[in-house]
Coordinates of all heavy atoms in Angstrom, one line a residue:
M111 N -49.5 -52.2 -33.6 CA -49.2 -52.8 -32.3 C -48.3 -53.9 -32.4 O -47.4 -54.1 -31.6 CB -50.6 -53.2 -31.6 CG -50.4 -53.8 -30.3 SD -49.9 -52.6 -29.1 CE -49.9 -53.5 -27.6
K112 N -48.5 -54.7 -33.5 CA -47.7 -55.9 -33.7 C -46.2 -55.5 -33.9 O -45.3 -56.1 -33.5 CB -48.2 -56.7 -34.9 CG -47.4 -57.9 -35.2 CD -48.0 -58.7 -36.4 CE -47.1 -59.8 -36.8 NZ -47.7 -60.5 -38.0
H113 N -46.0 -54.4 -34.7 CA -44.7 -53.9 -34.9 C -44.0 -53.4 -33.7 O -42.8 -53.5 -33.5 CB -44.7 -52.7 -36.0 CG -45.1 -53.2 -37.3 ND1 -44.4 -54.1 -38.1 CD2 -46.3 -53.0 -38.0 CE1 -45.0 -54.3 -39.2 NE2 -46.2 -53.7 -39.2
L114 N -44.7 -52.8 -32.8 CA -44.2 -52.3 -31.5 C -43.7 -53.5 -30.6 O -42.6 -53.4 -30.1 CB -45.3 -51.5 -30.7 CG -44.8 -50.9 -29.4 CD1 -43.7 -50.0 -29.6 CD2 -46.0 -50.2 -28.7
I115 N -44.5 -54.5 -30.6 CA -44.1 -55.7 -29.8 C -42.8 -56.3 -30.4 O -41.9 -56.7 -29.7 CB -45.2 -56.7 -29.7 CG1 -46.4 -56.1 -28.9 CG2 -44.8 -58.0 -29.1 CD1 -47.6 -56.9 -28.9
T116 N -42.8 -56.4 -31.7 CA -41.7 -57.0 -32.4 C -40.4 -56.2 -32.2 O -39.3 -56.7 -31.9 CB -41.9 -57.1 -33.9 OG1 -43.1 -57.9 -34.2 CG2 -40.7 -57.7 -34.7
A117 N -40.5 -54.9 -32.2 CA -39.4 -54.0 -32.0 C -38.9 -54.1 -30.6 O -37.7 -54.1 -30.3 CB -39.8 -52.5 -32.3
S118 N -39.8 -54.2 -29.6 CA -39.5 -54.4 -28.2 C -38.7 -55.7 -28.0 O -37.7 -55.7 -27.3 CB -40.7 -54.3 -27.3 OG -41.4 -53.1 -27.4
V119 N -39.2 -56.7 -28.6 CA -38.5 -58.0 -28.5 C -37.1 -58.0 -29.1 O -36.1 -58.5 -28.5 CB -39.3 -59.2 -29.1 CG1 -38.5 -60.4 -29.2 CG2 -40.6 -59.4 -28.3
L120 N -37.0 -57.3 -30.2 CA -35.7 -57.2 -30.9 C -34.7 -56.4 -30.0 O -33.5 -56.7 -29.9 CB -35.8 -56.6 -32.3 CG -36.4 -57.5 -33.3 CD1 -36.6 -56.8 -34.6 CD2 -35.6 -58.8 -33.5
V121 N -35.2 -55.3 -29.4 CA -34.3 -54.5 -28.6 C -33.9 -55.3 -27.4 O -32.7 -55.3 -27.0 CB -35.0 -53.2 -28.2 CG1 -34.3 -52.5 -27.0 CG2 -35.2 -52.2 -29.3
F122 N -34.8 -56.0 -26.7 CA -34.4 -56.8 -25.6 C -33.4 -57.9 -26.0 O -32.5 -58.1 -25.3 CB -35.7 -57.4 -24.9 CG -35.3 -58.2 -23.7 CD1 -34.9 -57.6 -22.5 CD2 -35.3 -59.6 -23.8 CE1 -34.6 -58.4 -21.4 CE2 -35.0 -60.4 -22.7 CZ -34.6 -59.8 -21.5
A123 N -33.7 -58.5 -27.1 CA -32.8 -59.6 -27.5 C -31.4 -59.1 -27.8 O -30.4 -59.7 -27.6 CB -33.4 -60.3 -28.8
A124 N -31.3 -57.8 -28.3 CA -30.0 -57.3 -28.6 C -29.3 -56.9 -27.3 O -28.0 -57.0 -27.2 CB -30.1 -56.0 -29.4
M125 N -30.0 -56.5 -26.3 CA -29.4 -56.2 -25.0 C -29.1 -57.4 -24.1 O -28.2 -57.4 -23.3 CB -30.3 -55.2 -24.2 CG -30.4 -53.9 -24.8 SD -31.6 -52.8 -24.0 CE -31.4 -53.2 -22.3
A126 N -29.8 -58.5 -24.3 CA -29.8 -59.6 -23.4 C -28.3 -60.2 -23.3 O -27.9 -60.5 -22.2 CB -30.7 -60.7 -23.9
P127 N -27.6 -60.4 -24.4 CA -26.2 -60.9 -24.2 C -25.4 -60.0 -23.3 O -24.6 -60.5 -22.5 CB -25.7 -61.0 -25.6 CG -26.9 -61.0 -26.5 CD -27.9 -60.2 -25.8
T128 N -25.5 -58.7 -23.4 CA -24.7 -57.8 -22.6 C -25.1 -58.0 -21.1 O -24.3 -58.0 -20.3 CB -25.0 -56.4 -23.0 OG1 -24.6 -56.2 -24.4 CG2 -24.1 -55.4 -22.2
L129 N -26.4 -58.1 -20.9 CA -26.9 -58.2 -19.5 C -26.5 -59.6 -18.9 O -26.2 -59.7 -17.8 CB -28.4 -57.9 -19.4 CG -28.8 -56.5 -19.9 CD1 -30.3 -56.5 -19.9 CD2 -28.3 -55.5 -19.0
A130 N -26.7 -60.6 -19.7 CA -26.5 -61.9 -19.3 C -25.0 -62.3 -19.0 O -24.7 -63.1 -18.1 CB -27.0 -62.9 -20.3
F131 N -24.1 -61.6 -19.6 CA -22.7 -61.9 -19.5 C -21.9 -60.9 -18.6 O -20.7 -60.9 -18.6 CB -22.0 -62.1 -20.9 CG -22.6 -63.2 -21.6 CD1 -23.2 -63.0 -22.8 CD2 -22.4 -64.5 -21.2 CE1 -23.7 -64.1 -23.5 CE2 -22.9 -65.6 -21.9 CZ -23.6 -65.4 -23.1
A132 N -22.6 -60.1 -17.9 CA -21.9 -59.2 -17.0 C -21.2 -60.0 -15.9 O -21.8 -60.9 -15.3 CB -22.9 -58.2 -16.3
G133 N -19.9 -59.7 -15.7 CA -19.2 -60.4 -14.7 C -19.5 -59.9 -13.3 O -20.2 -58.9 -13.1
P134 N -18.9 -60.6 -12.3 CA -19.2 -60.2 -11.0 C -18.8 -58.8 -10.6 O -19.5 -58.1 -9.9 CB -18.5 -61.3 -10.1 CG -17.7 -62.0 -11.0 CD -18.1 -61.8 -12.4
I135 N -17.7 -58.4 -11.2 CA -17.2 -57.0 -10.9 C -18.1 -56.0 -11.5 O -18.5 -55.0 -10.9 CB -15.7 -56.9 -11.4 CG1 -14.8 -57.8 -10.7 CG2 -15.3 -55.4 -11.3 CD1 -14.4 -57.5 -9.3
E136 N -18.4 -56.2 -12.8 CA -19.3 -55.3 -13.5 C -20.7 -55.2 -12.8 O -21.2 -54.1 -12.5 CB -19.6 -55.7 -14.9 CG -20.4 -54.8 -15.7 CD -20.6 -55.2 -17.2 OE1 -20.0 -56.1 -17.6 OE2 -21.5 -54.5 -17.8
S137 N -21.2 -56.3 -12.4 CA -22.5 -56.3 -11.7 C -22.4 -55.6 -10.4 O -23.3 -54.7 -10.0 CB -23.0 -57.8 -11.4 OG -23.2 -58.4 -12.6
A138 N -21.4 -55.8 -9.6 CA -21.2 -55.1 -8.3 C -21.0 -53.6 -8.5 O -21.6 -52.8 -7.8 CB -20.0 -55.7 -7.5
C139 N -20.2 -53.3 -9.5 CA -20.0 -51.9 -9.8 C -21.3 -51.2 -10.2 O -21.6 -50.1 -9.7 CB -19.0 -51.8 -11.0 SG -18.6 -50.1 -11.5
N140 N -22.1 -51.8 -11.1 CA -23.4 -51.2 -11.5 C -24.3 -51.1 -10.3 O -25.1 -50.1 -10.3 CB -24.0 -52.1 -12.6 CG -23.4 -51.8 -13.9 OD1 -22.9 -50.7 -14.3 ND2 -23.3 -52.9 -14.7
R141 N -24.3 -52.0 -9.3 CA -25.2 -51.9 -8.2 C -24.7 -50.9 -7.1 O -25.4 -50.5 -6.3 CB -25.3 -53.2 -7.5 CG -26.2 -54.2 -8.2 CD -26.5 -55.4 -7.4 NE -25.3 -56.1 -6.8 CZ -24.6 -57.1 -7.4 NH1 -25.0 -57.5 -8.5 NH2 -23.6 -57.6 -6.8
S142 N -23.4 -50.5 -7.2 CA -22.8 -49.6 -6.2 C -23.4 -48.2 -6.3 O -23.9 -47.8 -7.4 CB -21.3 -49.6 -6.3 OG -20.9 -48.8 -7.4
D143 N -23.2 -47.4 -5.3 CA -23.7 -46.1 -5.3 C -22.5 -45.1 -5.5 O -22.6 -43.9 -5.1 CB -24.5 -45.7 -4.0 CG -23.6 -46.0 -2.8 OD1 -22.5 -46.4 -2.9 OD2 -24.2 -45.7 -1.7
R144 N -21.5 -45.6 -6.1 CA -20.3 -44.7 -6.3 C -20.7 -43.6 -7.3 O -21.3 -43.8 -8.3 CB -19.1 -45.5 -6.9 CG -18.7 -46.7 -6.2 CD -18.2 -46.4 -4.8 NE -17.4 -47.4 -4.1 CZ -17.8 -48.4 -3.5 NH1 -19.1 -48.7 -3.6 NH2 -17.0 -49.3 -2.9
P145 N -20.3 -42.4 -7.0 CA -20.7 -41.2 -7.8 C -20.2 -41.3 -9.3 O -20.9 -40.9 -10.2 CB -20.1 -40.0 -7.1 CG -19.3 -40.5 -6.0 CD -19.5 -42.0 -5.9
G146 N -19.0 -41.8 -9.5 CA -18.5 -41.9 -10.9 C -18.8 -43.1 -11.7 O -18.4 -43.3 -12.8
A147 N -19.6 -44.0 -11.1 CA -19.9 -45.3 -11.8 C -20.8 -45.1 -12.9 O -21.8 -44.4 -12.8 CB -20.5 -46.3 -10.8
S148 N -20.5 -45.7 -14.0 CA -21.4 -45.7 -15.2 C -21.3 -47.1 -15.8 O -20.3 -47.9 -15.5 CB -20.9 -44.7 -16.2 OG -19.7 -45.1 -16.8
R149 N -22.2 -47.5 -16.7 CA -22.2 -48.8 -17.3 C -20.9 -49.0 -18.1 O -20.3 -50.0 -18.0 CB -23.4 -49.0 -18.2 CG -24.7 -49.2 -17.5 CD -25.7 -49.7 -18.4 NE -27.0 -49.8 -17.8 CZ -27.4 -50.8 -17.0 NH1 -26.6 -51.8 -16.8 NH2 -28.6 -50.9 -16.5
Q150 N -20.5 -48.0 -18.8 CA -19.2 -48.1 -19.6 C -18.0 -48.3 -18.7 O -17.2 -49.1 -18.9 CB -19.1 -46.8 -20.4 CG -17.9 -46.8 -21.3 CD -17.7 -45.6 -22.1 OE1 -18.5 -44.6 -22.0 NE2 -16.7 -45.5 -23.0
L151 N -17.9 -47.5 -17.6 CA -16.8 -47.6 -16.7 C -16.8 -49.0 -16.0 O -15.8 -49.7 -15.9 CB -16.8 -46.5 -15.6 CG -15.7 -46.6 -14.6 CD1 -14.3 -46.5 -15.3 CD2 -15.9 -45.5 -13.6
C152 N -18.0 -49.4 -15.6 CA -18.1 -50.7 -14.9 C -17.7 -51.9 -15.8 O -17.0 -52.8 -15.4 CB -19.5 -50.9 -14.4 SG -19.9 -49.8 -13.0
R153 N -18.1 -51.8 -17.1 CA -17.7 -52.8 -18.1 C -16.2 -52.8 -18.3 O -15.6 -53.8 -18.4 CB -18.5 -52.5 -19.4 CG -18.4 -53.6 -20.4 CD -19.3 -53.3 -21.6 NE -20.7 -53.2 -21.2 CZ -21.4 -52.2 -21.5 NH1 -21.0 -51.2 -22.2 NH2 -22.7 -52.1 -21.1
C154 N -15.6 -51.6 -18.3 CA -14.2 -51.5 -18.5 C -13.4 -52.1 -17.3 O -12.5 -52.9 -17.5 CB -13.7 -50.1 -18.7 SG -12.0 -49.9 -19.0
I155 N -13.9 -51.8 -16.1 CA -13.3 -52.4 -14.9 C -13.4 -53.9 -14.9 O -12.5 -54.6 -14.5 CB -13.9 -51.8 -13.6 CG1 -13.5 -50.3 -13.6 CG2 -13.5 -52.5 -12.4 CD1 -14.3 -49.5 -12.5
D156 N -14.6 -54.4 -15.4 CA -14.8 -55.9 -15.5 C -13.8 -56.5 -16.5 O -13.2 -57.6 -16.2 CB -16.2 -56.2 -15.9 CG -16.5 -57.6 -15.7 OD1 -16.6 -58.1 -14.6 OD2 -16.8 -58.3 -16.7
A157 N -13.5 -55.8 -17.5 CA -12.5 -56.3 -18.5 C -11.1 -56.4 -17.9 O -10.4 -57.3 -18.2 CB -12.5 -55.4 -19.8
A158 N -10.8 -55.4 -17.1 CA -9.5 -55.4 -16.4 C -9.5 -56.6 -15.4 O -8.4 -57.3 -15.3 CB -9.3 -54.1 -15.7
A159 N -10.6 -56.9 -14.8 CA -10.6 -58.0 -13.9 C -10.5 -59.3 -14.7 O -9.8 -60.3 -14.2 CB -12.0 -58.1 -13.1
D160 N -11.0 -59.4 -15.9 CA -10.9 -60.6 -16.7 C -9.4 -60.8 -17.0 O -9.0 -62.0 -17.2 CB -11.7 -60.5 -18.0 CG -13.2 -60.7 -17.7 OD1 -13.6 -61.2 -16.7 OD2 -14.0 -60.2 -18.6
D161 N -8.7 -59.7 -17.2 CA -7.2 -59.8 -17.5 C -6.4 -60.3 -16.4 O -5.3 -60.8 -16.6 CB -6.7 -58.5 -18.0 CG -7.2 -58.1 -19.4 OD1 -7.8 -59.0 -20.1 OD2 -7.0 -57.0 -19.8
T162 N -6.8 -60.1 -15.1 CA -5.9 -60.2 -14.0 C -6.4 -61.2 -12.9 O -5.6 -61.7 -12.1 CB -5.6 -58.9 -13.3 OG1 -6.8 -58.3 -13.0 CG2 -4.8 -58.0 -14.2
L163 N -7.7 -61.4 -12.8 CA -8.2 -62.3 -11.7 C -9.0 -63.5 -12.3 O -9.6 -63.4 -13.3 CB -9.2 -61.4 -10.9 CG -8.6 -60.2 -10.2 CD1 -9.8 -59.4 -9.5 CD2 -7.6 -60.6 -9.2
T164 N -8.9 -64.6 -11.5 CA -9.7 -65.7 -11.9 C -11.2 -65.4 -11.6 O -11.5 -64.4 -10.9 CB -9.3 -67.0 -11.0 OG1 -9.7 -66.7 -9.7 CG2 -7.9 -67.3 -11.2
R165 N -12.1 -66.2 -12.1 CA -13.5 -65.9 -11.8 C -13.8 -66.0 -10.3 O -14.6 -65.2 -9.8 CB -14.3 -67.0 -12.6 CG -15.8 -66.7 -12.7 CD -16.0 -65.5 -13.6 NE -17.4 -65.5 -14.0 CZ -17.9 -64.5 -14.7 NH1 -17.2 -63.6 -15.1 NH2 -19.2 -64.5 -14.9
S166 N -13.2 -66.9 -9.6 CA -13.4 -67.0 -8.2 C -12.9 -65.7 -7.5 O -13.5 -65.2 -6.6 CB -12.7 -68.2 -7.6 OG -12.7 -68.3 -6.2
E167 N -11.7 -65.3 -7.9 CA -11.2 -64.0 -7.3 C -12.1 -62.8 -7.6 O -12.2 -61.9 -6.8 CB -9.8 -63.8 -7.8 CG -8.8 -64.8 -7.3 CD -7.4 -64.8 -7.9 OE1 -7.3 -64.3 -9.1 OE2 -6.5 -65.2 -7.3
Q168 N -12.7 -62.8 -8.8 CA -13.6 -61.7 -9.2 C -14.8 -61.7 -8.3 O -15.2 -60.6 -7.8 CB -14.0 -61.9 -10.6 CG -12.9 -61.6 -11.6 CD -13.3 -61.7 -13.1 OE1 -14.4 -61.4 -13.4 NE2 -12.5 -62.3 -13.9
R169 N -15.3 -62.9 -8.0 CA -16.5 -62.9 -7.1 C -16.1 -62.4 -5.7 O -16.8 -61.7 -5.0 CB -17.0 -64.3 -7.0 CG -17.8 -64.8 -8.2 CD -18.5 -66.1 -8.0 NE -17.7 -67.2 -7.7 CZ -17.0 -68.0 -8.6 NH1 -17.2 -67.7 -9.9 NH2 -16.3 -69.0 -8.2
R170 N -14.9 -62.8 -5.2 CA -14.4 -62.3 -3.9 C -14.2 -60.8 -3.9 O -14.6 -60.1 -3.0 CB -13.1 -63.0 -3.6 CG -12.5 -62.8 -2.2 CD -11.3 -63.5 -2.0 NE -10.9 -63.4 -0.6 CZ -9.7 -63.8 -0.1 NH1 -8.8 -64.4 -0.9 NH2 -9.4 -63.6 1.2
A171 N -13.6 -60.3 -5.0 CA -13.3 -58.9 -5.1 C -14.6 -58.1 -5.2 O -14.7 -57.0 -4.7 CB -12.4 -58.6 -6.2
A172 N -15.6 -58.7 -5.9 CA -16.9 -58.0 -6.0 C -17.6 -57.7 -4.7 O -18.3 -56.7 -4.6 CB -17.8 -58.8 -6.9
R173 N -17.3 -58.5 -3.7 CA -17.9 -58.3 -2.4 C -17.3 -57.0 -1.8 O -18.0 -56.4 -0.9 CB -17.6 -59.5 -1.5 CG -18.4 -60.7 -1.9 CD -18.4 -61.8 -0.8 NE -17.1 -62.2 -0.3 CZ -16.4 -63.3 -0.7 NH1 -16.9 -64.1 -1.6 NH2 -15.2 -63.5 -0.2
F174 N -16.2 -56.6 -2.2 CA -15.6 -55.3 -1.6 C -16.4 -54.1 -1.9 O -16.4 -53.1 -1.2 CB -14.2 -55.1 -2.1 CG -13.2 -56.2 -1.8 CD1 -12.0 -56.2 -2.4 CD2 -13.4 -57.1 -0.8 CE1 -11.0 -57.2 -2.1 CE2 -12.5 -58.1 -0.5 CZ -11.3 -58.1 -1.1
F175 N -17.2 -54.1 -3.0 CA -18.1 -53.0 -3.4 C -19.1 -52.8 -2.3 O -19.4 -51.6 -1.9 CB -18.8 -53.2 -4.7 CG -17.9 -53.0 -5.9 CD1 -17.1 -54.0 -6.4 CD2 -17.9 -51.7 -6.5 CE1 -16.2 -53.7 -7.5 CE2 -17.1 -51.5 -7.7 CZ -16.3 -52.5 -8.1
A176 N -19.7 -53.8 -1.8 CA -20.7 -53.7 -0.7 C -20.1 -53.7 0.7 O -20.7 -53.1 1.6 CB -21.7 -54.9 -0.8
N177 N -18.9 -54.2 0.8 CA -18.3 -54.3 2.2 C -16.8 -53.9 2.1 O -16.0 -54.8 2.1 CB -18.5 -55.7 2.8 CG -18.0 -55.8 4.2 OD1 -17.6 -54.8 4.8 ND2 -18.1 -57.0 4.7
P178 N -16.5 -52.6 2.0 CA -15.1 -52.2 1.9 C -14.2 -52.7 3.1 O -13.0 -52.9 3.0 CB -15.1 -50.7 1.9 CG -16.5 -50.4 1.5 CD -17.4 -51.5 2.0
D179 N -14.9 -53.0 4.3 CA -14.1 -53.5 5.4 C -13.5 -54.8 5.1 O -12.5 -55.2 5.7 CB -15.0 -53.5 6.7 CG -15.4 -52.1 7.2 OD1 -14.6 -51.2 6.9 OD2 -16.4 -52.0 7.9
E180 N -14.2 -55.6 4.3 CA -13.7 -56.9 4.0 C -12.4 -56.8 3.2 O -11.4 -57.6 3.4 CB -14.7 -57.7 3.1 CG -14.3 -59.1 2.9 CD -15.3 -59.9 2.1 OE1 -16.5 -59.5 2.1 OE2 -15.0 -61.0 1.6
A181 N -12.2 -55.8 2.4 CA -11.0 -55.6 1.7 C -9.9 -55.3 2.7 O -8.7 -55.8 2.5 CB -11.1 -54.4 0.7
Q182 N -10.2 -54.5 3.6 CA -9.2 -54.1 4.7 C -8.7 -55.4 5.4 O -7.6 -55.6 5.7 CB -9.7 -53.1 5.6 CG -8.8 -52.6 6.7 CD -7.5 -51.9 6.2 OE1 -7.4 -51.6 5.0 NE2 -6.5 -51.7 7.0
E183 N -9.7 -56.2 5.7 CA -9.4 -57.5 6.5 C -8.5 -58.4 5.6 O -7.5 -58.9 6.1 CB -10.7 -58.2 6.8 CG -11.5 -57.6 7.9 CD -12.9 -58.2 8.0 OE1 -13.0 -59.4 7.6 OE2 -13.8 -57.6 8.6
V184 N -8.7 -58.5 4.3 CA -7.9 -59.3 3.5 C -6.5 -58.7 3.3 O -5.5 -59.4 3.4 CB -8.5 -59.4 2.0 CG1 -7.6 -60.1 1.1 CG2 -9.8 -60.2 2.1
R185 N -6.4 -57.4 3.2 CA -5.2 -56.7 3.1 C -4.3 -56.9 4.3 O -3.1 -57.0 4.2 CB -5.4 -55.2 2.9 CG -4.1 -54.4 2.5 CD -4.4 -53.0 2.2 NE -4.6 -52.2 3.4 CZ -3.6 -51.7 4.2 NH1 -2.4 -51.9 3.9 NH2 -3.9 -51.0 5.2
M186 N -4.9 -56.9 5.5 CA -4.2 -57.0 6.7 C -4.0 -58.5 7.1 O -3.3 -58.8 8.1 CB -4.9 -56.3 7.8 CG -5.1 -54.8 7.6 SD -3.5 -53.9 7.4 CE -2.8 -54.1 9.0
S187 N -4.5 -59.4 6.4 CA -4.4 -60.8 6.8 C -3.0 -61.4 6.7 O -2.3 -61.0 5.8 CB -5.3 -61.6 5.8 OG -5.1 -63.0 6.1
P188 N -2.6 -62.2 7.7 CA -1.3 -62.8 7.7 C -1.2 -64.0 6.8 O -0.1 -64.5 6.7 CB -1.1 -63.1 9.1 CG -2.4 -63.4 9.7 CD -3.4 -62.5 8.9
T189 N -2.3 -64.5 6.2 CA -2.2 -65.8 5.5 C -1.6 -65.6 4.1 O -1.8 -64.6 3.5 CB -3.6 -66.5 5.3 OG1 -4.3 -65.7 4.5 CG2 -4.3 -66.6 6.7
A190 N -0.8 -66.6 3.7 CA -0.2 -66.6 2.3 C -1.3 -66.5 1.3 O -1.1 -65.7 0.3 CB 0.7 -67.8 2.1
R191 N -2.4 -67.2 1.4 CA -3.4 -67.2 0.4 C -4.0 -65.8 0.2 O -4.2 -65.3 -0.9 CB -4.5 -68.1 0.9 CG -5.7 -68.2 -0.1 CD -6.8 -69.2 0.4 NE -7.9 -69.2 -0.4 CZ -9.0 -68.6 -0.2 NH1 -9.2 -67.9 1.0 NH2 -10.1 -68.6 -1.0
D192 N -4.3 -65.1 1.4 CA -4.8 -63.7 1.3 C -3.7 -62.8 0.7 O -4.1 -61.9 -0.1 CB -5.3 -63.2 2.6 CG -6.6 -63.8 3.0 OD1 -7.3 -64.4 2.2 OD2 -7.0 -63.8 4.2
N193 N -2.5 -63.0 1.1 CA -1.4 -62.1 0.5 C -1.3 -62.3 -1.0 O -1.1 -61.3 -1.7 CB -0.1 -62.4 1.3 CG -0.1 -61.9 2.7 OD1 -0.8 -61.0 3.1 ND2 0.7 -62.5 3.5
E194 N -1.4 -63.5 -1.4 CA -1.3 -63.7 -2.9 C -2.5 -63.1 -3.6 O -2.3 -62.5 -4.7 CB -1.2 -65.2 -3.1 CG 0.1 -65.8 -2.7 CD 0.1 -67.3 -2.6 OE1 -0.9 -68.0 -3.0 OE2 1.1 -67.9 -2.2
F195 N -3.6 -63.3 -3.0 CA -4.8 -62.7 -3.6 C -4.7 -61.2 -3.6 O -5.0 -60.5 -4.7 CB -6.1 -63.1 -2.8 CG -7.3 -62.2 -3.2 CD1 -7.9 -62.4 -4.4 CD2 -7.8 -61.2 -2.4 CE1 -9.0 -61.6 -4.8 CE2 -8.9 -60.5 -2.7 CZ -9.5 -60.7 -3.9
W196 N -4.2 -60.6 -2.6 CA -4.1 -59.1 -2.5 C -3.1 -58.6 -3.5 O -3.4 -57.6 -4.2 CB -3.7 -58.7 -1.1 CG -3.9 -57.2 -1.0 CD1 -2.9 -56.3 -1.0 CD2 -5.1 -56.5 -0.9 NE1 -3.5 -55.0 -0.9 CE2 -4.8 -55.1 -0.8 CE3 -6.4 -56.9 -0.8 CZ2 -5.8 -54.2 -0.7 CZ3 -7.4 -55.9 -0.7 CH2 -7.1 -54.6 -0.7
A197 N -2.1 -59.3 -3.8 CA -1.1 -58.9 -4.8 C -1.8 -58.9 -6.2 O -1.6 -58.0 -7.0 CB 0.1 -59.9 -4.8
R198 N -2.6 -60.0 -6.5 CA -3.3 -60.0 -7.8 C -4.4 -58.9 -7.8 O -4.6 -58.3 -8.9 CB -3.9 -61.4 -8.0 CG -2.8 -62.4 -8.4 CD -3.4 -63.7 -8.8 NE -4.2 -64.4 -7.7 CZ -3.6 -65.1 -6.7 NH1 -2.3 -65.3 -6.7 NH2 -4.4 -65.7 -5.8
Y199 N -5.0 -58.7 -6.7 CA -6.1 -57.6 -6.6 C -5.4 -56.2 -6.9 O -6.0 -55.4 -7.6 CB -6.7 -57.7 -5.2 CG -7.8 -56.6 -5.1 CD1 -9.1 -56.8 -5.7 CD2 -7.6 -55.5 -4.3 CE1 -10.1 -55.8 -5.6 CE2 -8.6 -54.5 -4.2 CZ -9.8 -54.7 -4.8 OH -10.8 -53.7 -4.7
R200 N -4.3 -56.0 -6.3 CA -3.6 -54.7 -6.6 C -3.2 -54.6 -8.1 O -3.3 -53.5 -8.7 CB -2.3 -54.6 -5.7 CG -2.7 -54.3 -4.3 CD -1.5 -54.0 -3.5 NE -0.8 -52.9 -4.1 CZ -0.1 -52.0 -3.6 NH1 0.1 -52.1 -2.3 NH2 0.6 -51.1 -4.2
A201 N -2.7 -55.7 -8.7 CA -2.4 -55.7 -10.1 C -3.7 -55.4 -10.9 O -3.6 -54.7 -11.9 CB -1.8 -57.1 -10.5
F202 N -4.8 -55.9 -10.5 CA -6.1 -55.6 -11.1 C -6.4 -54.1 -11.0 O -6.8 -53.5 -12.0 CB -7.2 -56.4 -10.5 CG -8.6 -55.8 -10.5 CD1 -9.2 -55.6 -11.7 CD2 -9.2 -55.4 -9.4 CE1 -10.5 -55.0 -11.8 CE2 -10.5 -54.9 -9.4 CZ -11.1 -54.7 -10.6
G203 N -6.1 -53.5 -9.9 CA -6.4 -52.1 -9.7 C -5.5 -51.3 -10.6 O -6.0 -50.3 -11.3
V204 N -4.3 -51.7 -10.8 CA -3.3 -51.0 -11.7 C -3.8 -51.1 -13.1 O -3.9 -50.1 -13.9 CB -1.9 -51.5 -11.5 CG1 -1.0 -51.0 -12.6 CG2 -1.3 -51.1 -10.2
R205 N -4.2 -52.3 -13.5 CA -4.7 -52.6 -14.8 C -6.0 -51.8 -15.1 O -6.1 -51.2 -16.2 CB -4.9 -54.1 -15.0 CG -5.4 -54.5 -16.4 CD -4.3 -54.4 -17.4 NE -4.8 -54.9 -18.7 CZ -4.5 -54.4 -19.8 NH1 -3.7 -53.3 -19.9 NH2 -5.0 -54.8 -20.9
A206 N -6.9 -51.7 -14.2 CA -8.1 -51.0 -14.3 C -7.8 -49.5 -14.5 O -8.4 -48.8 -15.4 CB -9.1 -51.2 -13.2
E207 N -6.9 -49.0 -13.8 CA -6.5 -47.6 -13.9 C -5.9 -47.3 -15.3 O -6.2 -46.3 -16.0 CB -5.5 -47.1 -12.9 CG -6.1 -46.9 -11.5 CD -5.1 -46.5 -10.5 OE1 -4.0 -45.9 -10.9 OE2 -5.4 -46.7 -9.3
Q208 N -5.1 -48.2 -15.8 CA -4.5 -48.1 -17.1 C -5.6 -48.1 -18.2 O -5.5 -47.3 -19.2 CB -3.5 -49.2 -17.4 CG -2.2 -49.1 -16.6 CD -1.4 -50.3 -16.7 OE1 -1.8 -51.4 -17.1 NE2 -0.1 -50.2 -16.3
M209 N -6.5 -49.1 -18.1 CA -7.5 -49.3 -19.2 C -8.6 -48.3 -19.1 O -9.1 -47.9 -20.1 CB -8.1 -50.7 -19.0 CG -7.2 -51.8 -19.4 SD -7.9 -53.4 -19.1 CE -9.3 -53.4 -20.2
C210 N -9.0 -47.9 -17.9 CA -10.3 -47.1 -17.7 C -10.1 -45.7 -17.3 O -11.0 -44.9 -17.3 CB -11.2 -47.9 -16.8 SG -11.3 -49.6 -17.1
G211 N -8.9 -45.4 -16.8 CA -8.7 -44.1 -16.2 C -8.4 -43.0 -17.2 O -8.8 -42.2 -17.8

């Protein structure tokens, strides 16, 4: 019994860094009900986000998984701030396709 508990703790400890450091995009992707989503794909998409978006922008983009209408609102927004974000968001999409597609 003692060995089983020790093994369980070691397995959890090995997984904890991966779980603890999931970015906002990876977390949102893993929670989504997208048919092709997998942990590996979500991790790859998160890496693409790390390459192209700030942490704040990643949090903003992660909301699009739960509310796609918000993405449309940002895309159609007339503000310079939203337009600049949308350009970086599109670059993120291209990067994710290159890395993960």
Side-chain angles (χ1 to χ4, degrees):
M111 181 70 175
K112 181 179 174 183
H113 294 291
L114 180 60
I115 293 171
T116 302
S118 298
V119 169
L120 289 175
V121 167
F122 180 75
M125 290 175 40
T128 304
L129 298 174
F131 294 116
I135 298 287
E136 181 179 352
S137 297
C139 178
N140 282 325
R141 285 191 309 269
S142 76
D143 58 357
R144 304 298 195 285
S148 68
R149 286 195 186 276
Q150 181 180 3
L151 178 61
C152 292
R153 192 172 300 125
C154 183
I155 292 170
D156 191 66
D160 287 340
D161 287 350
T162 55
L163 300 172
T164 67
R165 194 71 166 173
S166 174
E167 290 170 338
Q168 289 179 39
R169 287 190 300 273
R170 186 178 187 190
R173 293 194 305 260
F174 297 166
F175 282 85
N177 185 5
D179 291 336
E180 186 175 343
Q182 180 66 11
E183 290 172 19
V184 172
R185 188 176 78 80
M186 300 301 294
S187 172
T189 68
R191 179 178 177 261
D192 284 344
N193 289 333
E194 291 165 3
F195 167 73
W196 193 255
R198 287 187 297 277
Y199 180 76
R200 287 188 52 152
F202 152 64
V204 169
R205 181 73 175 139
E207 284 181 22
Q208 291 170 341
M209 289 175 60
C210 311

